[in-house]
Amino acid sequence: MMRCVHINRRLAVLMIPVVGLFSWPQAGSAQPRAAAAPAAAPQPQRFADGIAAVINKQVITLQQVDAEVNVARKQLKSQNIQVPDDEVLRRQVLQRMITETLVRQEAERLRIEISDQQLQDAVGSVAQRNNMSKEKLRAEIEKTGVAWSYYLDSLRQEMLTDMVRQRAVDSRIVVSDAEVDAFLNSQGRTGNNLLGGVQRGAAAQQTVPRELGLAQILVQVPEGASTQQIQELRAKADSLLARVRGGADFASVAAASSDGPEALEGGNMGVRPTEGWPDLFLRAVSNVATGDVSDIVQSGNGFHILKVTTRGPEPAQPQAANAGVPQPQQEMFAQEGPMMVTQTRARHILIKIDQVTTEERALTRIRDLRQRIVMGEDFAEVARRSSDDASAPEGGDLGWLTPGETVQPFQQAMDALQPGQISEPVLTQFGWHIIQVEERRTRDMEDEFKRMRARQVLFERQAGPAFEDWLSQIRSQAFIDNRLAPRANNNRFNR
């Protein structure tokens, strides 16, 4: 299906600042990034074979780690975060590289790739959001000492991780109508305004912030940890909390000690609409002032120490957390009362990309189907016989679609069509599509929008923890030999 409720996550990867902070928390590309990074200074060889880690059958070399360390060191300095000592930084970098490798391997298994055209489109989006040309973007990147090829590899990895997450995790999250009803009822009882309505009066705007920025220090608890291990890790979390409350810089402690994927960004998890954070985090920081830290929060992933970095009204310019929301939808978030929205009724044909059908074969097939329709065959009949989507029995009919209800590439292609027109092939994380717009209408969508927004809120609360759980699962199932931190390896299978 093409319907999509996680609309405010879709293009978060593209909002990468041009100067200063470069954040690559969980990436995956066809080749390790270190090859594109600035050359590393010679390091003493600690192992005769020069291997830092083995993940399943893939090797990470010490040379690759040290190249990444050089980049991480520059990144931390640019953020005014104290750089950990070399051994600690090397271990942190390697942990991130292990996660990236696992995600790459999952992408290969799922036959997910980022084409050169998709990458160039992403570069164009980054440049546009920063009000500059691609050439100016490249110049600004290179001013920071980061090679342009390294930047492209990192952006590709971010995009790949996003697509893997959508395929492996997001597609499994189902928000029922009953959950939506319960959520809307609770909003009515408590008077909370999590659905994007305008608050009445200045006091309400001050007391109900619509965005929240968090950073974390995570002490991860391995799956199947013994009671003694859990106690030791809790003691470690208590010690880290004491250091932070004693005056130590939160970002520096995170960079040196956090097990979170954003450790090398000082633990910064970004800024999101308030309802986009898990309930567990919201409860923990409900009475925490900006700049302060929470008590220790225990989740299925371990022990968290949370710092509130931002509280306030939603910014005028879209940030990473809502970069993928189409502009009409962003305006809807800030409205109450009638919402006149243009809907599109459309059909589509989908050829999925999977272990049997490569992207190239899927593209060839969808082009053939389009040509048959252009030559006179009925779209609905071709869809019934050939589409891989659940809508095939209905001739590919998707019904009436509201802006933001489908993934962005599909939405953009559909919006460009006039009624009766058929699109060129369109690539999404689901596969290759062709789309036919049947008609359009304008109607009041206030009630429908509240339900859609509620569904999105509930989805977002599940998506983050679900992705962390998924990462933990693939780590536990993998063979990982981390030679810089042998105690991180639990016998043969790491967990």
Side-chain angles (χ1 to χ4, degrees):
M1 282 296 290
M2 288 308 305
R3 295 182 186 272
C4 171
V5 296
H6 53 288
I7 52 178
N8 71 336
R9 295 171 63 93
R10 185 65 192 92
L11 291 183
V13 63
L14 301 184
M15 293 302 293
I16 298 177
V18 174
V19 180
L21 174 61
F22 290 86
S23 175
W24 303 294
Q26 298 150 351
S29 68
Q31 298 295 331
R33 291 179 307 176
Q43 298 288 341
Q45 189 166 354
R46 288 161 295 243
F47 303 100
D49 56 8
I51 295 174
V54 180
I55 303 90
N56 295 318
K57 295 182 179 180
Q58 189 166 347
V59 170
I60 297 176
T61 67
L62 291 171
Q63 182 179 13
Q64 290 171 332
V65 173
D66 288 335
E68 290 284 342
V69 164
N70 281 354
V71 176
R73 186 180 290 111
K74 290 181 181 179
Q75 177 185 337
L76 291 169
K77 288 180 178 179
S78 73
Q79 299 172 70
N80 296 318
I81 297 173
Q82 181 178 346
V83 180
D85 66 63
D86 286 349
E87 288 304 312
V88 170
L89 182 58
R90 199 171 279 115
R91 286 197 298 269
Q92 289 283 61
V93 166
L94 180 56
Q95 282 296 335
R96 184 172 69 181
M97 294 176 73
I98 289 171
T99 299
E100 293 172 352
T101 301
L102 289 169
V103 173
R104 280 199 301 275
Q105 291 173 353
E106 283 298 299
E108 292 171 0
R109 185 181 69 82
L110 295 170
R111 291 184 177 272
I112 296 175
E113 296 180 348
I114 302 298
S115 68
D116 290 343
Q117 184 59 53
Q118 288 175 296
L119 180 62
Q120 289 305 312
D121 290 345
V123 171
S125 296
V126 174
Q128 183 178 18
R129 292 178 188 279
N130 287 279
N131 298 314
M132 60 179 64
S133 66
K134 290 183 181 180
E135 292 74 18
K136 178 66 173 176
L137 173 66
R138 176 170 183 168
E140 293 295 330
I141 295 296
E142 291 176 340
K143 279 182 184 178
T144 68
V146 175
W148 179 245
S149 58
Y150 185 93
Y151 176 82
L152 292 179
D153 284 347
S154 300
L155 183 56
R156 188 190 294 270
Q157 290 171 4
E158 284 284 351
M159 296 170 68
L160 190 67
T161 299
D162 190 52
M163 292 186 71
V164 169
R165 191 206 72 242
Q166 290 180 50
R167 180 84 65 86
V169 181
D170 292 2
S171 60
R172 300 178 184 177
I173 298 175
V174 178
V175 179
S176 69
D177 289 340
E179 290 175 298
V180 172
D181 291 338
F183 178 81
L184 290 172
N185 289 336
S186 71
Q187 295 301 298
R189 289 195 303 270
T190 63
N192 291 338
N193 187 357
L194 295 182
L195 298 180
V198 177
Q199 301 294 321
R200 305 304 184 193
Q205 291 181 3
Q206 292 172 1
T207 57
V208 187
R210 291 182 56 206
E211 70 170 6
L212 176 66
L214 296 177
Q216 77 162 342
I217 297 171
L218 170 64
V219 177
Q220 195 167 43
V221 176
E223 184 179 338
S226 66
T227 301
Q228 182 179 350
Q229 284 179 300
I230 294 173
Q231 290 175 345
E232 291 173 351
L233 293 169
R234 172 65 194 231
K236 177 182 176 181
D238 287 335
S239 174
L240 295 174
L241 178 60
R243 286 176 57 191
V244 171
R245 288 185 168 167
D249 177 61
F250 186 97
S252 299
V253 174
S257 303
S258 178
D259 296 323
E262 63 290 304
L264 293 175
E265 286 73 54
N268 185 10
M269 295 188 289
V271 179
R272 307 179 194 172
T274 306
E275 66 271 17
W277 294 103
D279 282 341
L280 183 67
F281 286 5
L282 291 178
R283 289 194 296 269
V285 302
S286 61
N287 296 315
V288 176
T290 302
D292 289 346
V293 298
S294 70
D295 294 328
I296 291 174
V297 182
Q298 185 172 3
S299 75
N301 203 31
F303 301 103
H304 307 256
I305 303 168
L306 302 174
K307 177 180 179 179
V308 176
T309 60
T310 303
R311 285 189 188 272
E314 193 164 334
Q317 297 297 322
Q319 300 297 315
N322 66 352
V325 183
Q327 190 61 34
Q329 188 106 17
Q330 292 182 33
E331 294 170 358
M332 289 164 64
F333 288 173
Q335 296 180 13
E336 287 182 342
M339 296 178 181
M340 305 310 296
V341 176
T342 299
Q343 293 182 301
T344 302
R345 185 173 181 181
R347 297 181 183 273
H348 84 130
I349 296 172
L350 167 66
I351 302 300
K352 289 183 178 179
I353 300 168
D354 53 30
Q355 294 180 342
V356 176
T357 306
T358 64
E359 181 177 327
E360 184 178 357
R361 290 178 64 185
L363 176 58
T364 299
R365 187 176 174 199
I366 203 73
R367 282 174 172 166
D368 290 342
L369 296 177
R370 184 182 186 280
Q371 184 63 27
R372 285 165 52 187
I373 294 168
V374 170
M375 295 300 293
E377 291 193 43
D378 181 67
F379 191 106
E381 285 302 317
V382 175
R384 288 188 186 96
R385 294 194 302 267
S386 304
S387 180
D388 293 332
D389 189 61
S391 63
E394 289 76 43
D397 187 13
L398 294 173
W400 288 101
L401 300 172
T402 300
E405 200 173 358
T406 65
V407 292
Q408 192 178 54
F410 192 97
Q411 178 84 48
Q412 289 177 337
M414 182 177 67
D415 288 348
L417 298 173
Q418 296 298 318
Q421 287 186 323
I422 300 172
S423 72
E424 295 292 334
V426 179
L427 178 64
T428 74
Q429 67 265 31
F430 302 100
W432 282 100
H433 313 250
I434 51 175
I435 308 163
Q436 182 183 52
V437 169
E438 296 187 281
E439 56 181 318
R440 287 194 171 93
R441 70 183 182 188
T442 300
R443 60 176 297 190
D444 183 359
M445 291 289 295
E446 180 183 7
D447 291 341
E448 289 89 343
F449 171 73
K450 286 182 178 179
R451 292 189 66 81
M452 185 175 69
R453 183 69 170 112
R455 194 177 298 276
Q456 177 193 345
V457 167
L458 294 169
F459 178 93
E460 289 293 337
R461 289 182 175 180
Q462 298 179 51
F467 187 55
E468 289 183 1
D469 289 346
W470 178 79
L471 284 173
S472 178
Q473 289 173 12
I474 64 171
R475 287 183 67 92
S476 69
Q477 296 166 3
F479 170 81
I480 300 176
D481 179 13
N482 182 339
R483 302 187 182 185
L484 300 190
R487 280 191 285 184
N489 304 322
N490 283 349
N491 297 323
R492 178 175 174 77
F493 287 102
N494 190 51
R495 287 288 181 266

